[in-house]
PDB file of all heavy atoms in Angstrom:
ATOM      1  N   GLN A 971     156.688-156.491 120.533  1.00 84.00           N
ATOM      2  CA  GLN A 971     155.941-156.123 119.398  1.00 84.00           C
ATOM      3  C   GLN A 971     154.435-156.089 119.721  1.00 84.00           C
ATOM      4  O   GLN A 971     153.974-156.863 120.577  1.00 84.00           O
ATOM      5  CB  GLN A 971     156.159-157.083 118.222  1.00 84.00           C
ATOM      6  CG  GLN A 971     157.596-157.229 117.741  1.00 84.00           C
ATOM      7  CD  GLN A 971     157.729-158.258 116.683  1.00 84.00           C
ATOM      8  OE1 GLN A 971     157.040-158.160 115.611  1.00 84.00           O
ATOM      9  NE2 GLN A 971     158.567-159.237 116.867  1.00 84.00           N
ATOM     10  N   VAL A 972     153.739-155.277 118.956  1.00 87.00           N
ATOM     11  CA  VAL A 972     152.273-155.258 118.976  1.00 87.00           C
ATOM     12  C   VAL A 972     151.818-155.471 117.543  1.00 87.00           C
ATOM     13  O   VAL A 972     152.196-154.734 116.643  1.00 87.00           O
ATOM     14  CB  VAL A 972     151.717-153.994 119.538  1.00 87.00           C
ATOM     15  CG1 VAL A 972     150.195-153.999 119.445  1.00 87.00           C
ATOM     16  CG2 VAL A 972     152.150-153.748 120.990  1.00 87.00           C
ATOM     17  N   LYS A 973     151.008-156.531 117.336  1.00 83.00           N
ATOM     18  CA  LYS A 973     150.507-156.861 115.980  1.00 83.00           C
ATOM     19  C   LYS A 973     149.008-156.814 115.989  1.00 83.00           C
ATOM     20  O   LYS A 973     148.333-157.373 116.818  1.00 83.00           O
ATOM     21  CB  LYS A 973     150.980-158.254 115.617  1.00 83.00           C
ATOM     22  CG  LYS A 973     150.468-158.768 114.276  1.00 83.00           C
ATOM     23  CD  LYS A 973     150.910-160.189 114.020  1.00 83.00           C
ATOM     24  CE  LYS A 973     150.341-160.732 112.705  1.00 83.00           C
ATOM     25  NZ  LYS A 973     150.681-162.147 112.503  1.00 83.00           N
ATOM     26  N   ILE A 974     148.473-156.108 114.975  1.00 82.00           N
ATOM     27  CA  ILE A 974     146.977-156.022 114.855  1.00 82.00           C
ATOM     28  C   ILE A 974     146.619-156.757 113.575  1.00 82.00           C
ATOM     29  O   ILE A 974     146.996-156.361 112.471  1.00 82.00           O
ATOM     30  CB  ILE A 974     146.513-154.537 114.785  1.00 82.00           C
ATOM     31  CG1 ILE A 974     146.940-153.801 116.022  1.00 82.00           C
ATOM     32  CG2 ILE A 974     144.990-154.492 114.621  1.00 82.00           C
ATOM     33  CD1 ILE A 974     146.484-152.348 116.053  1.00 82.00           C
ATOM     34  N   ASP A 975     145.807-157.795 113.711  1.00 73.00           N
ATOM     35  CA  ASP A 975     145.323-158.577 112.578  1.00 73.00           C
ATOM     36  C   ASP A 975     143.940-158.008 112.123  1.00 73.00           C
ATOM     37  O   ASP A 975     142.961-158.150 112.855  1.00 73.00           O
ATOM     38  CB  ASP A 975     145.169-160.020 112.998  1.00 73.00           C
ATOM     39  CG  ASP A 975     144.788-160.941 111.808  1.00 73.00           C
ATOM     40  OD1 ASP A 975     144.387-160.389 110.768  1.00 73.00           O
ATOM     41  OD2 ASP A 975     144.957-162.152 111.942  1.00 73.00           O
ATOM     42  N   ILE A 976     143.949-157.318 111.027  1.00 69.00           N
ATOM     43  CA  ILE A 976     142.708-156.656 110.534  1.00 69.00           C
ATOM     44  C   ILE A 976     141.919-157.566 109.640  1.00 69.00           C
ATOM     45  O   ILE A 976     140.700-157.803 109.813  1.00 69.00           O
ATOM     46  CB  ILE A 976     143.003-155.336 109.794  1.00 69.00           C
ATOM     47  CG1 ILE A 976     143.678-154.367 110.813  1.00 69.00           C
ATOM     48  CG2 ILE A 976     141.758-154.725 109.197  1.00 69.00           C
ATOM     49  CD1 ILE A 976     144.122-153.043 110.179  1.00 69.00           C
ATOM     50  N   ILE A 977     142.542-158.134 108.623  1.00 56.00           N
ATOM     51  CA  ILE A 977     141.842-158.946 107.630  1.00 56.00           C
ATOM     52  C   ILE A 977     141.188-160.136 108.219  1.00 56.00           C
ATOM     53  O   ILE A 977     140.052-160.463 107.942  1.00 56.00           O
ATOM     54  CB  ILE A 977     142.807-159.374 106.493  1.00 56.00           C
ATOM     55  CG1 ILE A 977     143.403-158.133 105.835  1.00 56.00           C
ATOM     56  CG2 ILE A 977     142.055-160.236 105.496  1.00 56.00           C
ATOM     57  CD1 ILE A 977     142.427-157.241 105.206  1.00 56.00           C
ATOM     58  N   HIS A 978     141.842-160.848 109.109  1.00 55.00           N
ATOM     59  CA  HIS A 978     141.317-162.054 109.734  1.00 55.00           C
ATOM     60  C   HIS A 978     140.125-161.733 110.561  1.00 55.00           C
ATOM     61  O   HIS A 978     139.259-162.592 110.756  1.00 55.00           O
ATOM     62  CB  HIS A 978     142.419-162.742 110.561  1.00 55.00           C
ATOM     63  CG  HIS A 978     141.951-164.012 111.201  1.00 55.00           C
ATOM     64  ND1 HIS A 978     141.470-164.083 112.501  1.00 55.00           N
ATOM     65  CD2 HIS A 978     141.860-165.304 110.673  1.00 55.00           C
ATOM     66  CE1 HIS A 978     141.122-165.319 112.782  1.00 55.00           C
ATOM     67  NE2 HIS A 978     141.355-166.096 111.727  1.00 55.00           N
ATOM     68  N   SER A 979     140.016-160.525 111.062  1.00 51.00           N
ATOM     69  CA  SER A 979     138.943-160.124 111.928  1.00 51.00           C
ATOM     70  C   SER A 979     137.684-159.753 111.188  1.00 51.00           C
ATOM     71  O   SER A 979     136.576-159.734 111.740  1.00 51.00           O
ATOM     72  CB  SER A 979     139.353-158.962 112.799  1.00 51.00           C
ATOM     73  OG  SER A 979     140.456-159.271 113.594  1.00 51.00           O
ATOM     74  N   LEU A 980     137.791-159.447 109.868  1.00 48.00           N
ATOM     75  CA  LEU A 980     136.617-158.878 109.150  1.00 48.00           C
ATOM     76  C   LEU A 980     135.408-159.797 109.160  1.00 48.00           C
ATOM     77  O   LEU A 980     134.278-159.334 109.311  1.00 48.00           O
ATOM     78  CB  LEU A 980     137.052-158.530 107.709  1.00 48.00           C
ATOM     79  CG  LEU A 980     137.982-157.332 107.582  1.00 48.00           C
ATOM     80  CD1 LEU A 980     138.332-157.116 106.124  1.00 48.00           C
ATOM     81  CD2 LEU A 980     137.376-156.100 108.156  1.00 48.00           C
ATOM     82  N   PRO A 981     135.532-161.105 108.935  1.00 44.00           N
ATOM     83  CA  PRO A 981     134.324-161.954 108.959  1.00 44.00           C
ATOM     84  C   PRO A 981     133.612-161.882 110.310  1.00 44.00           C
ATOM     85  O   PRO A 981     132.409-161.881 110.341  1.00 44.00           O
ATOM     86  CB  PRO A 981     134.872-163.365 108.683  1.00 44.00           C
ATOM     87  CG  PRO A 981     136.143-163.135 107.954  1.00 44.00           C
ATOM     88  CD  PRO A 981     136.729-161.871 108.583  1.00 44.00           C
ATOM     89  N   LYS A 982     134.308-161.740 111.373  1.00 47.00           N
ATOM     90  CA  LYS A 982     133.666-161.668 112.697  1.00 47.00           C
ATOM     91  C   LYS A 982     132.927-160.356 112.853  1.00 47.00           C
ATOM     92  O   LYS A 982     131.847-160.302 113.453  1.00 47.00           O
ATOM     93  CB  LYS A 982     134.689-161.782 113.816  1.00 47.00           C
ATOM     94  CG  LYS A 982     135.456-163.085 113.796  1.00 47.00           C
ATOM     95  CD  LYS A 982     136.519-163.080 114.879  1.00 47.00           C
ATOM     96  CE  LYS A 982     137.328-164.374 114.882  1.00 47.00           C
ATOM     97  NZ  LYS A 982     138.378-164.376 115.911  1.00 47.00           N
TER      98      LYS A 982
END
Side-chain angles (χ1 to χ4, degrees):
Q971 300 178 55
V972 176
K973 176 184 176 182
I974 303 179
D975 187 344
I976 297 177
I977 301 300
H978 183 263
S979 301
L980 290 179
K982 298 178 182 179

